[in-house]
mmCIF file of all heavy atoms in Angstrom:
data_model
loop_
_atom_site.group_PDB
_atom_site.id
_atom_site.type_symbol
_atom_site.label_atom_id
_atom_site.label_comp_id
_atom_site.label_asym_id
_atom_site.label_seq_id
_atom_site.Cartn_x
_atom_site.Cartn_y
_atom_site.Cartn_z
ATOM 1 N N ALA A 1 79.343 64.239 26.667
ATOM 2 C CA ALA A 1 78.440 64.291 27.740
ATOM 3 C C ALA A 1 77.534 63.079 27.958
ATOM 4 O O ALA A 1 77.071 62.513 26.881
ATOM 5 C CB ALA A 1 77.479 65.520 27.522
ATOM 6 N N ALA A 2 77.436 62.462 29.152
ATOM 7 C CA ALA A 2 76.799 61.206 29.379
ATOM 8 C C ALA A 2 75.614 61.494 30.141
ATOM 9 O O ALA A 2 75.565 62.324 30.986
ATOM 10 C CB ALA A 2 77.770 60.324 30.194
ATOM 11 N N SER A 3 74.503 60.779 29.941
ATOM 12 C CA SER A 3 73.426 60.869 30.706
ATOM 13 C C SER A 3 72.829 59.432 30.827
ATOM 14 O O SER A 3 73.148 58.563 30.017
ATOM 15 C CB SER A 3 72.322 61.665 29.941
ATOM 16 O OG SER A 3 71.970 61.120 28.751
ATOM 17 N N GLY A 4 72.029 59.185 31.978
ATOM 18 C CA GLY A 4 71.516 57.909 32.154
ATOM 19 C C GLY A 4 72.044 57.325 33.503
ATOM 20 O O GLY A 4 71.780 58.013 34.547
ATOM 21 N N ARG A 5 72.751 56.242 33.484
ATOM 22 C CA ARG A 5 73.159 55.547 34.644
ATOM 23 C C ARG A 5 74.264 56.277 35.264
ATOM 24 O O ARG A 5 74.771 57.265 34.804
ATOM 25 C CB ARG A 5 73.449 54.017 34.313
ATOM 26 C CG ARG A 5 72.251 53.272 33.913
ATOM 27 C CD ARG A 5 71.340 52.928 35.005
ATOM 28 N NE ARG A 5 70.123 52.048 34.625
ATOM 29 C CZ ARG A 5 70.211 50.836 34.815
ATOM 30 N NH1 ARG A 5 71.460 50.219 35.154
ATOM 31 N NH2 ARG A 5 69.237 50.025 34.322
ATOM 32 N N THR A 6 74.739 55.885 36.400
ATOM 33 C CA THR A 6 75.790 56.362 37.185
ATOM 34 C C THR A 6 77.076 56.485 36.284
ATOM 35 O O THR A 6 77.562 55.337 35.944
ATOM 36 C CB THR A 6 76.069 55.551 38.367
ATOM 37 O OG1 THR A 6 74.950 55.483 39.246
ATOM 38 C CG2 THR A 6 77.207 56.233 39.271
ATOM 39 N N PHE A 7 77.532 57.554 35.999
ATOM 40 C CA PHE A 7 78.739 57.682 35.141
ATOM 41 C C PHE A 7 80.002 57.032 35.549
ATOM 42 O O PHE A 7 80.740 56.491 34.758
ATOM 43 C CB PHE A 7 78.957 59.254 34.869
ATOM 44 C CG PHE A 7 80.041 59.563 33.900
ATOM 45 C CD1 PHE A 7 79.844 59.032 32.549
ATOM 46 C CD2 PHE A 7 81.152 60.258 34.172
ATOM 47 C CE1 PHE A 7 80.812 59.312 31.645
ATOM 48 C CE2 PHE A 7 82.128 60.574 33.273
ATOM 49 C CZ PHE A 7 81.916 60.104 31.967
ATOM 50 N N SER A 8 80.247 57.048 36.824
ATOM 51 C CA SER A 8 81.421 56.410 37.369
ATOM 52 C C SER A 8 81.367 54.858 37.332
ATOM 53 O O SER A 8 82.337 54.163 37.490
ATOM 54 C CB SER A 8 81.697 56.722 38.840
ATOM 55 O OG SER A 8 80.569 56.391 39.620
ATOM 56 N N ASN A 9 80.236 54.339 36.739
ATOM 57 C CA ASN A 9 80.176 52.859 36.553
ATOM 58 C C ASN A 9 80.952 52.529 35.183
ATOM 59 O O ASN A 9 81.192 51.387 34.942
ATOM 60 C CB ASN A 9 78.744 52.426 36.414
ATOM 61 C CG ASN A 9 78.030 52.304 37.709
ATOM 62 O OD1 ASN A 9 78.756 52.328 38.817
ATOM 63 N ND2 ASN A 9 76.798 52.116 37.759
ATOM 64 N N TYR A 10 81.319 53.530 34.417
ATOM 65 C CA TYR A 10 81.840 53.314 33.044
ATOM 66 C C TYR A 10 83.131 53.638 32.966
ATOM 67 O O TYR A 10 83.536 54.854 33.100
ATOM 68 C CB TYR A 10 80.946 54.026 32.001
ATOM 69 C CG TYR A 10 79.437 53.622 32.148
ATOM 70 C CD1 TYR A 10 78.667 54.199 32.994
ATOM 71 C CD2 TYR A 10 78.957 52.638 31.270
ATOM 72 C CE1 TYR A 10 77.204 53.851 32.985
ATOM 73 C CE2 TYR A 10 77.671 52.166 31.310
ATOM 74 C CZ TYR A 10 76.790 52.726 32.263
ATOM 75 O OH TYR A 10 75.479 52.349 32.234
ATOM 76 N N ALA A 11 83.969 52.781 32.440
ATOM 77 C CA ALA A 11 85.272 53.231 31.886
ATOM 78 C C ALA A 11 84.920 53.785 30.463
ATOM 79 O O ALA A 11 83.921 53.401 29.774
ATOM 80 C CB ALA A 11 86.080 51.964 31.606
ATOM 81 N N MET A 12 85.683 54.791 30.079
ATOM 82 C CA MET A 12 85.373 55.442 28.877
ATOM 83 C C MET A 12 86.558 55.477 27.898
ATOM 84 O O MET A 12 87.719 55.479 28.335
ATOM 85 C CB MET A 12 84.984 57.006 29.302
ATOM 86 C CG MET A 12 83.805 57.167 30.241
ATOM 87 S SD MET A 12 82.304 56.553 29.416
ATOM 88 C CE MET A 12 82.131 57.675 28.093
ATOM 89 N N GLY A 13 86.172 55.583 26.595
ATOM 90 C CA GLY A 13 87.197 55.611 25.588
ATOM 91 C C GLY A 13 86.908 56.490 24.498
ATOM 92 O O GLY A 13 85.751 56.930 24.347
ATOM 93 N N TRP A 14 87.977 56.883 23.784
ATOM 94 C CA TRP A 14 87.813 57.575 22.544
ATOM 95 C C TRP A 14 88.317 56.854 21.428
ATOM 96 O O TRP A 14 89.496 56.211 21.453
ATOM 97 C CB TRP A 14 88.446 58.953 22.574
ATOM 98 C CG TRP A 14 87.852 59.998 23.384
ATOM 99 C CD1 TRP A 14 88.212 60.342 24.770
ATOM 100 C CD2 TRP A 14 86.758 60.913 22.991
ATOM 101 N NE1 TRP A 14 87.385 61.276 25.060
ATOM 102 C CE2 TRP A 14 86.501 61.789 24.056
ATOM 103 C CE3 TRP A 14 86.140 61.073 21.829
ATOM 104 C CZ2 TRP A 14 85.513 62.697 24.016
ATOM 105 C CZ3 TRP A 14 85.121 61.949 21.765
ATOM 106 C CH2 TRP A 14 84.863 62.873 22.783
ATOM 107 N N PHE A 15 87.560 56.714 20.320
ATOM 108 C CA PHE A 15 88.054 56.017 19.108
ATOM 109 C C PHE A 15 87.860 56.951 17.980
ATOM 110 O O PHE A 15 87.192 57.976 18.010
ATOM 111 C CB PHE A 15 87.128 54.830 18.848
ATOM 112 C CG PHE A 15 87.417 53.596 19.848
ATOM 113 C CD1 PHE A 15 86.916 53.691 21.195
ATOM 114 C CD2 PHE A 15 88.139 52.537 19.387
ATOM 115 C CE1 PHE A 15 87.105 52.657 22.071
ATOM 116 C CE2 PHE A 15 88.411 51.524 20.343
ATOM 117 C CZ PHE A 15 87.921 51.566 21.690
ATOM 118 N N ARG A 16 88.392 56.647 16.829
ATOM 119 C CA ARG A 16 88.333 57.394 15.627
ATOM 120 C C ARG A 16 88.145 56.488 14.386
ATOM 121 O O ARG A 16 88.679 55.324 14.421
ATOM 122 C CB ARG A 16 89.463 58.457 15.468
ATOM 123 C CG ARG A 16 90.793 57.797 15.192
ATOM 124 C CD ARG A 16 91.880 58.947 15.347
ATOM 125 N NE ARG A 16 93.184 58.326 15.096
ATOM 126 C CZ ARG A 16 94.358 59.126 15.272
ATOM 127 N NH1 ARG A 16 94.176 60.435 15.641
ATOM 128 N NH2 ARG A 16 95.508 58.541 14.989
ATOM 129 N N GLN A 17 87.581 56.995 13.314
ATOM 130 C CA GLN A 17 87.414 56.156 12.189
ATOM 131 C C GLN A 17 87.460 57.093 10.941
ATOM 132 O O GLN A 17 86.864 58.198 10.922
ATOM 133 C CB GLN A 17 86.037 55.456 12.212
ATOM 134 C CG GLN A 17 85.940 54.416 11.143
ATOM 135 C CD GLN A 17 84.607 53.584 11.451
ATOM 136 O OE1 GLN A 17 83.653 53.957 12.171
ATOM 137 N NE2 GLN A 17 84.582 52.372 10.843
ATOM 138 N N THR A 18 88.067 56.590 9.897
ATOM 139 C CA THR A 18 88.119 57.195 8.554
ATOM 140 C C THR A 18 87.397 56.317 7.623
ATOM 141 O O THR A 18 87.398 55.062 7.878
ATOM 142 C CB THR A 18 89.536 57.503 8.253
ATOM 143 O OG1 THR A 18 90.326 56.394 8.210
ATOM 144 C CG2 THR A 18 90.166 58.683 9.009
ATOM 145 N N PRO A 19 86.881 56.868 6.504
ATOM 146 C CA PRO A 19 86.194 56.047 5.552
ATOM 147 C C PRO A 19 86.969 54.852 5.084
ATOM 148 O O PRO A 19 88.143 54.903 4.688
ATOM 149 C CB PRO A 19 85.864 57.064 4.431
ATOM 150 C CG PRO A 19 85.805 58.365 4.993
ATOM 151 C CD PRO A 19 86.866 58.206 6.087
ATOM 152 N N GLY A 20 86.322 53.696 5.073
ATOM 153 C CA GLY A 20 87.028 52.494 4.542
ATOM 154 C C GLY A 20 87.945 51.795 5.545
ATOM 155 O O GLY A 20 88.535 50.738 5.207
ATOM 156 N N LYS A 21 88.022 52.408 6.799
ATOM 157 C CA LYS A 21 88.939 51.721 7.713
ATOM 158 C C LYS A 21 88.144 51.450 9.047
ATOM 159 O O LYS A 21 87.159 51.903 9.310
ATOM 160 C CB LYS A 21 90.012 52.791 8.117
ATOM 161 C CG LYS A 21 91.081 52.956 7.078
ATOM 162 C CD LYS A 21 92.218 53.824 7.444
ATOM 163 C CE LYS A 21 93.258 53.914 6.451
ATOM 164 N NZ LYS A 21 94.403 54.780 6.963
ATOM 165 N N GLU A 22 88.749 50.442 9.750
ATOM 166 C CA GLU A 22 88.160 50.016 11.049
ATOM 167 C C GLU A 22 88.296 51.164 12.121
ATOM 168 O O GLU A 22 89.196 52.052 12.027
ATOM 169 C CB GLU A 22 88.762 48.702 11.566
ATOM 170 C CG GLU A 22 88.424 47.612 10.618
ATOM 171 C CD GLU A 22 88.939 46.222 11.281
ATOM 172 O OE1 GLU A 22 89.512 46.323 12.361
ATOM 173 O OE2 GLU A 22 88.572 45.256 10.659
ATOM 174 N N ARG A 23 87.375 51.064 13.047
ATOM 175 C CA ARG A 23 87.397 52.089 14.105
ATOM 176 C C ARG A 23 88.702 51.821 14.948
ATOM 177 O O ARG A 23 88.945 50.690 15.301
ATOM 178 C CB ARG A 23 86.250 51.959 15.005
ATOM 179 C CG ARG A 23 85.871 53.085 15.973
ATOM 180 C CD ARG A 23 84.439 53.116 16.453
ATOM 181 N NE ARG A 23 83.513 53.279 15.370
ATOM 182 C CZ ARG A 23 82.165 53.476 15.544
ATOM 183 N NH1 ARG A 23 81.765 53.434 16.717
ATOM 184 N NH2 ARG A 23 81.355 53.737 14.465
ATOM 185 N N GLU A 24 89.439 52.903 15.220
ATOM 186 C CA GLU A 24 90.708 52.891 15.791
ATOM 187 C C GLU A 24 90.745 53.357 17.199
ATOM 188 O O GLU A 24 90.187 54.410 17.464
ATOM 189 C CB GLU A 24 91.684 53.589 14.904
ATOM 190 C CG GLU A 24 93.083 53.790 15.482
ATOM 191 C CD GLU A 24 93.902 54.756 14.730
ATOM 192 O OE1 GLU A 24 93.338 55.652 14.131
ATOM 193 O OE2 GLU A 24 95.164 54.654 14.737
ATOM 194 N N PHE A 25 91.418 52.656 18.155
ATOM 195 C CA PHE A 25 91.411 53.054 19.513
ATOM 196 C C PHE A 25 92.286 54.393 19.641
ATOM 197 O O PHE A 25 93.361 54.496 18.999
ATOM 198 C CB PHE A 25 92.149 52.008 20.360
ATOM 199 C CG PHE A 25 92.455 52.445 21.869
ATOM 200 C CD1 PHE A 25 91.497 52.635 22.801
ATOM 201 C CD2 PHE A 25 93.893 52.685 22.096
ATOM 202 C CE1 PHE A 25 91.847 53.164 24.071
ATOM 203 C CE2 PHE A 25 94.285 53.036 23.343
ATOM 204 C CZ PHE A 25 93.332 53.167 24.393
ATOM 205 N N VAL A 26 91.922 55.355 20.447
ATOM 206 C CA VAL A 26 92.739 56.532 20.562
ATOM 207 C C VAL A 26 93.179 56.685 22.042
ATOM 208 O O VAL A 26 94.339 56.738 22.422
ATOM 209 C CB VAL A 26 91.946 57.797 20.299
ATOM 210 C CG1 VAL A 26 92.722 59.063 20.606
ATOM 211 C CG2 VAL A 26 91.507 57.732 18.745
ATOM 212 N N ALA A 27 92.206 56.579 23.029
ATOM 213 C CA ALA A 27 92.587 56.794 24.383
ATOM 214 C C ALA A 27 91.483 56.130 25.222
ATOM 215 O O ALA A 27 90.283 56.009 24.823
ATOM 216 C CB ALA A 27 92.798 58.253 24.818
ATOM 217 N N ALA A 28 91.838 55.733 26.481
ATOM 218 C CA ALA A 28 90.815 55.260 27.499
ATOM 219 C C ALA A 28 91.103 55.815 28.878
ATOM 220 O O ALA A 28 92.284 56.106 29.166
ATOM 221 C CB ALA A 28 90.788 53.802 27.344
ATOM 222 N N ILE A 29 90.084 55.802 29.691
ATOM 223 C CA ILE A 29 90.327 56.274 31.099
ATOM 224 C C ILE A 29 89.472 55.383 31.921
ATOM 225 O O ILE A 29 88.308 55.090 31.621
ATOM 226 C CB ILE A 29 89.969 57.687 31.244
ATOM 227 C CG1 ILE A 29 90.332 58.277 32.568
ATOM 228 C CG2 ILE A 29 88.467 58.085 30.935
ATOM 229 C CD1 ILE A 29 90.393 59.790 32.766
ATOM 230 N N SER A 30 90.006 54.999 33.086
ATOM 231 C CA SER A 30 89.218 54.057 34.022
ATOM 232 C C SER A 30 88.155 54.834 34.693
ATOM 233 O O SER A 30 87.923 56.056 34.556
ATOM 234 C CB SER A 30 90.321 53.386 35.027
ATOM 235 O OG SER A 30 90.860 54.542 35.784
ATOM 236 N N ARG A 31 87.343 54.059 35.440
ATOM 237 C CA ARG A 31 86.054 54.644 35.958
ATOM 238 C C ARG A 31 86.300 55.856 36.783
ATOM 239 O O ARG A 31 85.506 56.794 36.749
ATOM 240 C CB ARG A 31 85.361 53.488 36.843
ATOM 241 C CG ARG A 31 84.862 52.338 35.938
ATOM 242 C CD ARG A 31 84.386 51.283 36.852
ATOM 243 N NE ARG A 31 83.377 51.668 37.723
ATOM 244 C CZ ARG A 31 83.089 50.916 38.894
ATOM 245 N NH1 ARG A 31 83.733 49.817 39.055
ATOM 246 N NH2 ARG A 31 82.231 51.438 39.648
ATOM 247 N N TYR A 32 87.331 55.935 37.649
ATOM 248 C CA TYR A 32 87.591 57.028 38.544
ATOM 249 C C TYR A 32 88.809 57.858 38.106
ATOM 250 O O TYR A 32 89.143 58.670 38.789
ATOM 251 C CB TYR A 32 87.777 56.516 39.935
ATOM 252 C CG TYR A 32 86.578 55.768 40.467
ATOM 253 C CD1 TYR A 32 86.507 54.397 40.465
ATOM 254 C CD2 TYR A 32 85.504 56.446 40.912
ATOM 255 C CE1 TYR A 32 85.367 53.711 40.902
ATOM 256 C CE2 TYR A 32 84.306 55.843 41.323
ATOM 257 C CZ TYR A 32 84.296 54.466 41.352
ATOM 258 O OH TYR A 32 83.156 53.754 41.726
ATOM 259 N N GLY A 33 89.207 57.591 36.804
ATOM 260 C CA GLY A 33 90.192 58.484 36.297
ATOM 261 C C GLY A 33 91.599 58.265 36.717
ATOM 262 O O GLY A 33 92.501 59.086 36.323
ATOM 263 N N ARG A 34 91.866 57.119 37.452
ATOM 264 C CA ARG A 34 93.239 56.924 37.890
ATOM 265 C C ARG A 34 94.219 56.344 36.920
ATOM 266 O O ARG A 34 95.373 56.331 37.022
ATOM 267 C CB ARG A 34 93.139 56.045 39.156
ATOM 268 C CG ARG A 34 92.397 56.775 40.365
ATOM 269 C CD ARG A 34 92.505 55.918 41.665
ATOM 270 N NE ARG A 34 91.622 56.454 42.689
ATOM 271 C CZ ARG A 34 90.494 56.014 43.110
ATOM 272 N NH1 ARG A 34 90.000 55.001 42.553
ATOM 273 N NH2 ARG A 34 89.795 56.618 44.005
ATOM 274 N N THR A 35 93.605 55.700 35.997
ATOM 275 C CA THR A 35 94.369 55.030 34.943
ATOM 276 C C THR A 35 93.995 55.478 33.503
ATOM 277 O O THR A 35 92.936 55.652 33.270
ATOM 278 C CB THR A 35 94.124 53.427 34.988
ATOM 279 O OG1 THR A 35 94.385 52.936 36.390
ATOM 280 C CG2 THR A 35 95.209 52.766 34.074
ATOM 281 N N THR A 36 95.028 55.730 32.673
ATOM 282 C CA THR A 36 94.748 56.032 31.342
ATOM 283 C C THR A 36 95.487 55.277 30.326
ATOM 284 O O THR A 36 96.524 54.723 30.811
ATOM 285 C CB THR A 36 95.051 57.617 31.025
ATOM 286 O OG1 THR A 36 96.423 57.823 31.390
ATOM 287 C CG2 THR A 36 94.074 58.483 31.878
ATOM 288 N N ALA A 37 95.107 55.212 29.070
ATOM 289 C CA ALA A 37 95.820 54.494 28.139
ATOM 290 C C ALA A 37 95.723 55.227 26.782
ATOM 291 O O ALA A 37 94.740 55.885 26.565
ATOM 292 C CB ALA A 37 95.325 53.006 28.039
ATOM 293 N N TYR A 38 96.753 55.147 25.985
ATOM 294 C CA TYR A 38 96.684 55.813 24.704
ATOM 295 C C TYR A 38 97.387 55.034 23.575
ATOM 296 O O TYR A 38 98.229 54.182 23.866
ATOM 297 C CB TYR A 38 97.646 57.174 24.779
ATOM 298 C CG TYR A 38 97.134 58.112 25.864
ATOM 299 C CD1 TYR A 38 97.672 58.120 27.122
ATOM 300 C CD2 TYR A 38 96.202 59.071 25.447
ATOM 301 C CE1 TYR A 38 97.142 59.026 28.132
ATOM 302 C CE2 TYR A 38 95.802 60.081 26.369
ATOM 303 C CZ TYR A 38 96.176 60.075 27.646
ATOM 304 O OH TYR A 38 95.779 60.892 28.549
ATOM 305 N N ALA A 39 96.844 55.226 22.402
ATOM 306 C CA ALA A 39 97.450 54.768 21.271
ATOM 307 C C ALA A 39 98.795 55.305 21.163
ATOM 308 O O ALA A 39 99.048 56.556 21.289
ATOM 309 C CB ALA A 39 96.614 54.908 19.947
ATOM 310 N N ASP A 40 99.814 54.589 20.548
ATOM 311 C CA ASP A 40 101.135 55.255 20.369
ATOM 312 C C ASP A 40 101.093 56.383 19.423
ATOM 313 O O ASP A 40 101.882 57.309 19.612
ATOM 314 C CB ASP A 40 102.026 54.063 19.660
ATOM 315 C CG ASP A 40 102.416 52.973 20.685
ATOM 316 O OD1 ASP A 40 102.203 53.157 22.002
ATOM 317 O OD2 ASP A 40 102.792 51.898 20.202
#
């Protein structure tokens, strides 16, 4: 859930992290949802 400025101004992503490891890209979606990207 997002609050604050206009939500459609933001591309959004999901990342994940386990102890001792760097934060890992999972998925992203463009501002209006037309484009998505995923980790393999």
Side-chain angles (χ1 to χ4, degrees):
S3 60
R5 295 288 183 89
T6 304
F7 185 57
S8 59
N9 283 351
Y10 299 86
M12 299 298 296
W14 286 97
F15 288 76
R16 64 188 182 188
Q17 190 170 24
T18 54
K21 293 189 177 181
E22 293 188 357
R23 201 162 288 189
E24 174 190 25
F25 170 75
V26 175
I29 189 165
S30 60
R31 289 170 58 197
Y32 298 101
R34 296 187 183 104
T35 308
T36 58
Y38 296 92
D40 288 344

